[in-house]
Amino acid sequence: MMNENADPADWQIPDGAPFSLPRQLRWEAFVTAKTAEEKCRAWLDLICGRVPDATAAAVLVESVEAKTFVPVAVWPNVSPDLGRLGPVVERALRERSGVVQPGGEGGDVLHIAYPLMLGNRVDGVVVIESACNDEDVELILREIHWGSAWLANLLGARELEEALQGRERLSGVLEATAVALRQGSFQQTLFEVASDLRMRLGCSRVAIGLVKDMGVSLAVLSDAATFERNTPLVKAYMAAMEEAFDAGKPVCAAGESPEDAADARKAAAQRRLVALAGARHVLSFPLSLGAECVAVLTMERAEDKAFAPPEFVWLEALAAMLAPVIRQRVCAERSAFGRARDECRKLLERFFGPRHLVWKAVGSAVLFVVAMLVLVPIEYRVTAKAVIEGEVQRVVAAPFDGFVGASLARAGDTVKKGQPLAALDDRDLRIEQERWASERDQYDKKLREAMANHDLTAVQVVGAQFRQAGAQWALVTEKIERASLVAPFDGIVVSGDLSQQIGAPVETGKKLFEVAPLQTYRVILQVDEREIRHLADAQPGQVVIAGIAGDAMPLKVTKVTPVATAQDGKNFFRVEAQLDHPVDRLRPGMEGVGKVEVGSRSLWWILTHSFSDWLILTLWTWMP
């Protein structure tokens, strides 16, 4: 039992002399220990008192901040040469079991390490250096194992306390974040967040500033619904916020004099705010989203209570939750112009800022292509449908009303000058020719009789009838001669086929055949009305005919006619061109595609001028 008359000062373990305490005082020191470090030191002193020939020992626990194992208690004294126990500690952590290995050069001491397990996790290590023999190792391990329950309870209590603190911290962060997520205007939301933080952190005033255009603008004050931005206090707040924004980390200052000039220079704006606002402590805490700062919190305390490390941890957790909310609300309340400006700025940062090599490569390629499109001129050619026609095209028509008697040629046949193409039925004409010949002979006989009788009246009458019969006979004879339709010149029959119309009636002037010469052709281009303005006489070009697509024949524009024809809902103008070197396989009626060179244009104009013309016409149509 603990000695009630003993001096409490005697319960503490004097550094450097643990063996000087009696056993009862060691237990009393262990029971009355107030902190975890004191309890670990007293526990280690008890264990070492039961280990034979112990020379050094230490208890190592995991550090929450650094996630490494650090000594929390050392026996008998802290000394630099305790690093010799490091290898056995590392081995115990790696193997997660008790480890015994020789220590020192002569191997006269043993290093014993035993891990402290909480579930499946190692939370601490007990290491002892002892000059014992091998038979005592089992005893030492047993003593550590039985006594480790105290340390396990201590570490479990520490984890429970950390979990409770974490839960409390998380609950506060979630409540503050819930305030930021309330519906309403963004300005009102920030004011409620500032008021909530003022009460939660025990501050006299909390200000929130938003980062905009690489600067900080004061948004709200917890104790003022409105404020004048040109007042010295507001300017001091903005300077303090910009100081934390430039530093990229929390900056705090107290009302007392700085310890050194360097600290004074680092927190100069905070100290000016302290002096101007009459506060005891000021803290400016940036709210960052990744590497980007979106807002800055500035907190004042009028009482002499500095901002503690747990509060910094709480603020860091709050910043992780609050920064995305502020960023989302700021982006949501931007105007259309602001959104466009921000998107353009992001795009420019990708092209001209650091990183984003893919964007830079694509942008360079696009810039090069655009430069080529705008600056490099190429020959522009107007494309149009082309039709081959004979330079001279003669029509063979029906000379009189009649019937088709014979068909001697048809479209596609090559004919010579004077070669019969067809013949009309001349049987009725020959009968009529005989009739008029008979009447002419009769009138000739009557004329002679009248002349013999010296009947002048009869001579005049019969003479007139004789001449009329002769004229009618000559007319019929001419029709019989013209009944045979012949080719007017050497060429090819372009159109006309009467082989299926034998005996069919024809009228005077009806087109029966079209004949064109073989070696003289012209090209008819059907140019769209949107391109006709580019064409002029004597412009060169080329034409490719469907039947002989392998050869592009040169041509030259000879005439731009003002005649337009409608086809497929579009207007086309007739443009005539002359072939420089026609080929033998060329025939009238062949179709193809012709291209006329009209001068140099930029590739961008060539690709977009059709759309530009359409857009200009559309705008002109809709303009008042």
Side-chain angles (χ1 to χ4, degrees):
M1 296 294 293
M2 183 175 61
N3 186 4
E4 297 180 355
N5 296 324
D7 188 357
D10 296 336
W11 300 348
Q12 306 299 325
I13 304 174
D15 293 338
F19 288 104
S20 62
L21 292 176
R23 181 182 180 88
Q24 183 179 2
L25 291 182
R26 291 177 183 175
W27 276 104
E28 291 176 352
F30 177 73
V31 172
T32 59
K34 297 293 190 299
T35 64
E37 289 78 7
E38 293 177 357
K39 188 174 286 293
C40 287
R41 289 184 59 198
W43 179 88
L44 187 60
D45 184 48
L46 287 172
I47 292 297
C48 292
R50 300 178 61 86
V51 173
D53 300 323
T55 58
V59 176
L60 295 90
V61 297
E62 185 179 10
S63 174
V64 178
E65 293 80 7
K67 298 300 180 182
T68 59
F69 286 84
V70 297
V72 69
V74 178
W75 183 90
N77 292 315
V78 178
S79 60
D81 59 349
L82 287 179
R84 63 184 183 274
L85 302 177
V88 70
V89 173
E90 294 178 358
R91 182 179 172 187
L93 292 173
R94 185 171 56 255
E95 298 181 2
R96 303 169 68 89
S97 62
V99 175
V100 179
Q101 65 181 28
E105 298 180 357
D108 52 347
V109 295
L110 294 177
H111 291 171
I112 305 170
Y114 191 85
L116 303 176
M117 305 291 295
L118 286 180
N120 294 326
R121 186 166 58 87
V122 178
D123 264 13
V125 179
V126 178
V127 58
I128 296 178
E129 182 184 62
S130 175
C132 62
N133 51 35
D134 295 339
E135 290 76 6
D136 296 331
V137 171
E138 184 177 355
L139 175 62
I140 296 174
L141 290 175
R142 185 169 62 248
E143 290 290 341
I144 297 176
H145 177 72
W146 288 350
S148 63
W150 297 97
L151 291 182
N153 292 336
L154 178 63
L155 296 177
R158 187 187 68 163
E159 286 194 352
L160 178 59
E161 182 180 0
E162 293 175 354
L164 293 176
Q165 293 178 354
R167 186 179 68 177
E168 183 179 357
R169 182 168 58 249
L170 179 60
S171 176
V173 169
L174 291 178
E175 291 177 0
T177 306
V179 173
L181 291 174
R182 292 176 183 173
Q183 294 184 353
S185 65
F186 184 48
Q187 189 74 15
Q188 180 63 27
T189 301
L190 290 180
F191 182 79
E192 293 177 0
V193 170
S195 301
D196 181 77
L197 292 178
R198 182 180 65 84
M199 294 184 295
R200 193 177 299 276
L201 297 176
C203 299
S204 59
R205 184 184 295 156
V206 174
I208 300 178
L210 300 179
V211 177
K212 183 179 180 181
D213 296 332
M214 300 304 295
V216 184
S217 176
L218 183 62
V220 294
L221 289 171
S222 61
D223 58 348
T226 59
F227 52 87
E228 181 61 40
R229 294 185 177 274
N230 294 324
T231 60
L233 181 61
V234 172
K235 292 181 179 180
Y237 270 109
M238 295 176 63
M241 292 177 178
E242 290 184 354
E243 186 177 56
F245 171 70
D246 295 336
K249 60 181 181 180
V251 180
C252 59
E256 294 85 0
S257 300
E259 296 181 357
D260 52 44
D263 291 340
R265 288 193 300 270
K266 290 179 181 178
Q270 312 296 322
R271 298 190 182 282
R272 286 195 297 270
L273 179 60
V274 168
L276 190 60
R280 295 291 297 171
H281 296 277
V282 170
L283 170 64
S284 293
F285 197 97
L287 304 180
S288 300
L289 183 60
E292 180 185 3
C293 181
V294 298
V296 179
L297 295 177
T298 298
M299 293 157 282
E300 297 179 20
R301 278 184 178 168
E303 58 185 11
D304 192 8
K305 180 182 178 182
F307 292 93
E311 292 175 320
F312 279 88
V313 175
W314 189 88
L315 288 173
E316 289 177 357
L318 176 66
M321 297 288 290
L322 191 58
V325 175
I326 293 178
R327 177 62 181 275
Q328 190 273 334
R329 293 294 297 271
V330 170
C331 293
E333 296 196 4
R334 290 178 300 174
S335 62
F337 175 76
R339 295 183 181 183
R341 181 191 60 185
D342 293 342
E343 293 298 328
C344 292
R345 180 181 300 170
K346 289 181 181 178
L347 188 61
L348 292 176
E349 288 177 355
R350 290 175 180 174
F351 285 129
F352 301 104
R355 302 186 300 275
H356 303 293
L357 296 180
V358 175
W359 280 86
K360 290 180 175 60
V362 173
S364 300
V366 171
L367 182 62
F368 175 77
V369 171
V370 171
M372 294 292 291
L373 292 176
V374 175
L375 301 178
V376 177
I378 64 173
E379 189 68 31
Y380 176 54
R381 299 187 297 179
V382 174
T383 303
K385 180 182 177 181
V387 179
I388 301 298
E389 290 184 358
E391 186 175 3
V392 178
Q393 192 162 300
R394 190 70 58 84
V395 175
V396 179
F400 52 82
D401 294 343
F403 298 90
V404 178
S407 177
L408 304 177
R410 58 183 179 178
D413 291 346
T414 303
V415 295
K416 299 292 185 180
K417 181 178 180 180
Q419 178 180 341
L421 303 178
L424 299 181
D425 188 359
D426 59 353
R427 289 176 296 179
D428 293 341
L429 292 176
R430 291 189 181 277
I431 294 172
E432 187 177 0
Q433 183 186 34
E434 292 295 332
R435 182 173 65 83
W436 285 113
S438 175
E439 289 185 4
R440 185 190 60 181
D441 292 342
Q442 291 177 4
Y443 288 136
D444 181 51
K445 183 178 179 181
K446 289 180 180 181
L447 178 61
R448 289 180 181 182
E449 290 178 355
M451 291 177 64
N453 294 326
H454 300 283
D455 187 353
L456 296 178
T457 303
V459 169
Q460 292 179 353
V461 173
V462 173
Q465 292 175 343
F466 173 77
R467 289 191 298 271
Q468 180 183 8
Q472 290 292 340
W473 178 85
L475 177 61
V476 172
T477 302
E478 180 66 21
K479 286 183 178 182
I480 292 174
E481 293 178 356
R482 295 175 61 186
S484 179
L485 305 177
V486 297
F489 46 75
D490 296 346
I492 185 173
V493 180
V494 177
S495 65
D497 184 5
L498 302 178
S499 60
Q500 304 297 325
Q501 301 180 22
I502 303 300
V506 293
E507 299 176 354
T508 303
K510 180 180 180 181
K511 182 175 69 174
L512 301 179
F513 296 96
E514 285 184 340
V515 182
L518 286 175
Q519 299 300 326
T520 54
Y521 302 100
R522 62 184 175 186
V523 181
I524 305 301
L525 301 174
Q526 298 178 358
V527 181
D528 193 293
E529 62 179 351
R530 294 173 296 181
E531 302 286 353
I532 194 66
R533 68 181 186 273
H534 303 299
L535 270 68
D537 292 348
Q539 287 178 334
Q542 290 180 321
V543 62
V544 174
I545 304 302
I548 47 178
D551 299 328
M553 294 175 289
L555 57 82
K556 183 177 293 185
V557 176
T558 58
K559 185 178 182 181
V560 180
T561 65
V563 179
T565 58
Q567 183 178 352
D568 297 333
K570 297 182 180 179
N571 286 337
F572 296 93
F573 282 84
R574 178 186 174 95
V575 177
E576 298 180 3
Q578 185 71 39
L579 290 173
D580 293 344
H581 305 287
V583 298
D584 296 337
R585 292 176 292 172
L586 202 62
R587 294 293 183 269
M590 287 184 171
E591 296 183 354
V593 176
K595 294 187 177 183
V596 181
E597 299 176 1
V598 297
S600 297
R601 303 286 194 278
S602 67
L603 185 57
W604 177 262
W605 183 90
I606 293 175
L607 295 176
T608 61
H609 77 281
S610 297
F611 173 76
S612 301
D613 294 344
W614 171 85
L615 182 61
I616 292 173
L617 184 60
T618 303
L619 293 178
W620 175 256
T621 302
W622 287 100
M623 285 178 61

